[in-house]
Amino acid sequence: MTTDIIITIVLSLLSILLILTEIFLLPGVTIAGIAGALFSAGSILYAYTHLGSIGGHITLIVSISVFGFLFIQLIRSKAINKIGLKAEIDSKVENDIDRVNEGDEGITLSRLSPIGKIKVNGVVVEGKSLGEFIDDGQTIIIYKKYPNQVLVKLKSETQN
């Protein structure tokens, strides 16, 4: 009888430890989570078969209570803050579009049908024509600039 109680307690504690390790330390579903679930089911099943229904009920209630208490304590503790990621990214990637302005002249590096590569002010960016196809090697003018897109026209069209 006492060995059955010891086996049930050990299996329950091991399952709680593995499940908490899975939740707080290991990303995704790993062996620890699967083993924790199996140990938990095994300890409760073992308690019901060897200690009777009252022993099984007590094991189930105590396991859930201990798991809930430890889970809440780990969330409230400062230990989570030590292993959690708190870094903030405050830098900004320099975008080549920032060096292009409306009215600048450039040249097409590829055919714009309607999107392709253009070179303006020494930088290569993606340009979009206003619907027409523009062959490569043509001189273009920046018609409109957006944060992530540049609209262009043929230089000959803007002179008309």
Side-chain angles (χ1 to χ4, degrees):
M1 179 75 152
T2 55
T3 55
D4 293 334
I5 294 173
I6 291 172
I7 290 172
T8 304
I9 290 171
V10 168
L11 286 175
S12 295
L13 290 177
L14 189 59
S15 71
I16 291 170
L17 177 71
L18 288 172
I19 291 172
L20 289 174
T21 301
E22 170 75 22
I23 291 171
F24 291 107
L25 295 178
L26 303 174
V29 177
T30 61
I31 299 295
I34 295 169
L38 291 175
F39 279 123
S40 179
S43 69
I44 293 168
L45 182 65
Y46 189 85
Y48 274 111
T49 57
H50 290 86
L51 300 175
S53 63
I54 294 180
H57 291 326
I58 291 171
T59 302
L60 181 62
I61 292 169
V62 170
S63 293
I64 291 172
S65 300
V66 169
F67 175 78
F69 175 76
L70 290 175
F71 183 81
I72 290 170
Q73 291 303 316
L74 280 171
I75 288 177
R76 287 185 180 172
S77 74
K78 302 295 181 194
I80 291 298
N81 294 336
K82 291 180 183 177
I83 62 171
L85 180 61
K86 294 181 283 183
E88 293 182 19
I89 300 173
D90 57 355
S91 62
K92 183 179 176 185
V93 175
E94 185 178 325
N95 195 349
D96 287 338
I97 289 181
D98 295 338
R99 299 191 292 188
V100 175
N101 298 311
E102 291 179 10
D104 289 349
E105 284 190 21
I107 190 165
T108 58
L109 298 178
S110 66
R111 182 176 182 191
L112 303 185
S113 56
I115 296 175
K117 295 288 182 186
I118 62 172
K119 186 172 186 176
V120 180
N121 298 335
V123 295
V124 177
V125 295
E126 192 171 76
K128 181 178 180 182
S129 67
L130 296 176
E132 71 273 5
F133 294 160
I134 302 174
D135 289 325
D136 60 332
Q138 299 290 317
T139 304
I140 46 98
I141 293 181
I142 305 299
Y143 174 73
K144 190 81 172 165
K145 177 185 157 188
Y146 296 105
N148 59 352
Q149 189 176 46
V150 176
L151 297 179
V152 299
K153 279 187 166 183
L154 270 172
K155 184 175 181 184
S156 61
E157 286 184 12
T158 59
Q159 292 175 349
N160 292 337

